[in-house]
Amino acid sequence: MERMRELVDLLNKYAYQYYVLDEPTVSDVQYDALYNELLALEKESGTVLPDSPTKKIGGDPIKAFTPHVHINKLYSLDKCNSFEELRAWDAKLRQLKADIEYTVEYKLDGLTLCLTYEGGLLKCAATRGNGEVGEDVTAQVLTVKSIPTRIPYNGVVEVQGEGIMRLSAFNKYNETATEPLKNARNGVAGAIRNLDPKVTASRNLDVIFYNVNYLEDGYVPSQEENIKFLKDNRFKTETLFKSSDMEEVISYISKVDRQSLDFLIDGMVIKVNSVALREELGYTEKFPRWAMAYKFEAEETSTKLLDVEWNVGRTGKLTPLAILEAVELCGVTVKRATLNNYGDILRKKVKIGSNVFIRRSNDVIPEILGVAEDFEDSKQILPPTRCPSCGSELYEDGAHIFCPNEENCLPQIIGRLEHFCSKDCMDIRGISESTVTQIVNAFGVKEPTDLYKLTREQIGKLEGFKDKKTENFIASVEKSKSTSLPAFINALGIENVGKKAAKDLAERFRNIDALSVATKEELVTIDEVGDVMADCIVSYFARHKDRIEEFKSLGINPQMEEKQKSEGVFSGLKVVLTGTLSAFSRTVAAKEIEARGGEVTSSVTKLTDLVIVGEDAGSKKAKAEKLGIKTINEQEFLKLL
Ligand SMILES: [Zn+2]
């Protein structure tokens, strides 16, 4: 029992550091080990402590929501849409009180929740409902990893927050969901008001708190203190801005970049900071006089889908582009939106002629979320069968459609060259899309390697290329030969391999020869490399041996500098990992070995010094024994660490 208490406290502390503070202090492996220990003890003893983190996986489905009466009424706020209205509100308040300090917070766009704690334990979670009576959603809210199940404050307290689905969680969910969510707001409402807590858990929700609605012994004197109380009691909060000057408040609001946030906000909330002053200002019939919600322009709207255009990218992938009936969104006229891929069209069930929801996204071009309304004459969107550019027969691979004509399909050639020359790749200056097109048309350049064979005379003949520009171009091409390995790998344009993956691959394989013979099994041991990416890499090098040789003959063969060697128990040893380890993934184990001076290699040879053998080890173990190389099991390995 004592150990259970200890484990619950420890796990809750780690969860707080991870989910609320975003400062993890233990690894997932360590957390999981303690969690499993607790789970076993709970099973053995048949008791589960009230604040046990094992409750967060979601209990059994419930039959219906029961009503919950809030201790204090939850008010809704007066709203405005312009800075003029904010100034008028400020002027009105100043007639009553000259000296006012305001606080400004995000107006989160999710589902309002009210949590009651008693004796330090979460007692109940409820929706806002009509402000006086909400629905009891305790089982659902309990699955939110960031909310505390135990808090330091011991009296009765009701705290108010907004249940949200982070956009990163929303996107991740929609990647694999059979029924994609139309937006993050629907995502959170549908998850909390779902009778099955396991569904809630699967959405990975979060709650951000902003108000202490009731406190048993006394009251919180200001909004600032509200946030401090919440923070002290381990609740997740957001930024709070303070100013006594409405112009400063307005300037702050106009600088808020909601595209940079990982959650939806639909405005900002301005409150009078002092609670004593709030009492003086009082309430109208509906709203408090001391708060105002400033609403942003909508980021979502709907319009008619007129047609779909298919564009060929540098890897041959066809991307559908929706042509829309022009509509205003955030002050911009929108005529096009992205549909990602054919699989996306099928999942979102959009048709030509239907009304669709569109949302402003981080990219220049907005995204289609789903169907708002279908009509009788709406037409199915059919996948193209021939490349719109070169006429080749297309093929499907998963959710995507490809043009196989790598060599002669113009948008692929141009896209490949542009990518190759771009800043994060070979960084060849002075090449714009139009220059690439000029070069392709004039000299029949098809592959990046062809760029290195262009002569001064040829370049000089291009329109707009005077001596200086020609020299710069030639020099920039020459200079690119001494690029770094991560940039070169990125420049190859292997499908699904971006800048970050290129860096990881470079760090692991150190040169292009080693990477080009890497097997899928070796590749997937890198954290960021999944099955799909590994397949793309292997297939790329199988198809392009000649191209790699050609790069080398042109003098392009970057290497990673030797890593600084760490010292430790594995210093100077070549170590091979085989089989499944229970306490680590192989990547983590490899890092632990490297941090102690060892070098981890993939195959057992005469040069191998040590083989660490996990469960179900196969041929490598046999080979090590045959060669007489020392092997140790996981226990012995852990001892060495
Ligand atoms: Zn084509």
Side-chain angles (χ1 to χ4, degrees), residues 387 390 403 409 412:
C387 175
C390 70
C403 166
C409 185
Q412 293 191 51

Side-chain angles (χ1 to χ4, degrees), residues 312 387-392 394 403-405 408-412:
V312 185
C387 175
S389 177
C390 70
S392 301
L394 302 170
C403 166
N405 187 5
N408 291 305
C409 185
L410 198 62
Q412 293 191 51

Side-chain angles (χ1 to χ4, degrees), residues 19 25 79 89 108 115 151 226 235 288 353 362-363 420 435 462 486-487 522 541 551 585 598:
Y19 293 108
T25 53
K79 295 175 186 64
W89 175 61
L108 299 152
L115 274 63
I151 59 171
N226 259 329
F235 293 98
N362 274 322
D363 303 317
F420 185 82
T435 319
L462 291 174
E522 287 172 75
F541 286 105
F551 275 123
S585 72

Side-chain angles (χ1 to χ4, degrees), residues 226-431:
N226 259 329
I227 300 294
K228 185 173 178 304
F229 176 92
L230 291 166
K231 268 189 187 159
D232 289 347
N233 282 283
R234 302 182 165 187
F235 293 98
K236 204 169 199 168
T237 58
E238 261 300 330
T239 48
L240 185 83
F241 175 80
K242 266 192 325 171
S243 171
S244 300
D245 179 357
M246 184 49 79
E247 290 312 313
E248 247 176 55
V249 167
I250 287 171
S251 147
Y252 174 75
I253 293 175
S254 52
K255 279 185 205 130
V256 167
D257 175 16
R258 50 182 169 155
Q259 295 295 313
S260 71
L261 301 173
D262 193 27
F263 43 79
L264 296 178
I265 60 172
D266 59 352
M268 301 297 285
V269 175
I270 305 102
K271 289 177 186 163
V272 170
N273 192 17
S274 153
V275 169
L277 187 49
R278 287 181 188 180
E279 297 300 310
E280 275 184 55
L281 295 168
Y283 297 79
T284 68
E285 227 167 282
K286 282 197 211 142
F287 310 116
R289 284 204 181 86
W290 43 263
M292 183 64 84
Y294 172 83
K295 297 264 282 179
F296 290 138
E297 263 179 294
E299 293 209 301
E300 266 176 46
T301 183
S302 67
T303 186
K304 193 169 179 178
L305 176 68
L306 301 175
D307 202 1
V308 172
E309 225 176 67
W310 295 83
N311 296 314
V312 185
R314 65 180 164 83
T315 60
K317 192 190 279 175
L318 271 78
T319 313
L321 186 72
I323 312 296
L324 306 169
E325 202 165 82
V327 64
E328 289 286 309
L329 182 63
C330 300
V332 183
T333 307
V334 174
K335 290 178 183 164
R336 281 155 207 277
T338 171
L339 274 161
N340 300 315
N341 55 55
Y342 187 60
D344 200 39
I345 292 176
L346 292 179
R347 287 198 310 144
K348 289 176 177 166
K349 300 190 178 77
V350 293
K351 292 178 185 160
I352 290 170
S354 38
N355 271 339
V356 291
F357 285 117
I358 58 170
R359 185 178 128 75
R360 185 181 164 194
S361 73
N362 274 322
D363 303 317
V364 185
I365 174 158
E367 186 189 4
I368 291 192
L369 299 165
V371 178
E373 197 180 359
D374 260 334
F375 302 101
E376 244 171 56
D377 58 350
S378 298
K379 278 197 320 247
Q380 205 81 40
I381 299 166
L382 296 173
T385 54
R386 297 216 163 252
C387 175
S389 177
C390 70
S392 301
E393 201 168 318
L394 302 170
Y395 68 95
E396 284 183 37
D397 188 0
H400 302 281
I401 300 172
F402 290 89
C403 166
N405 187 5
E406 224 176 303
E407 238 171 275
N408 291 305
C409 185
L410 198 62
Q412 293 191 51
I413 297 171
I414 291 176
R416 207 153 56 216
L417 288 167
E418 259 192 292
H419 173 77
F420 185 82
C421 297
S422 65
K423 193 164 173 296
D424 287 335
C425 296
M426 302 303 267
D427 195 17
I428 298 176
R429 306 289 170 91
I431 288 216

Side-chain angles (χ1 to χ4, degrees), residues 66 73 89 152 351-352 424 474 488 492 585 626 641:
T66 53
K73 186 178 168 184
W89 175 61
K351 292 178 185 160
I352 290 170
D424 287 335
I474 296 284
F488 182 53
L492 293 176
S585 72
K626 202 176 144 206
L641 294 182

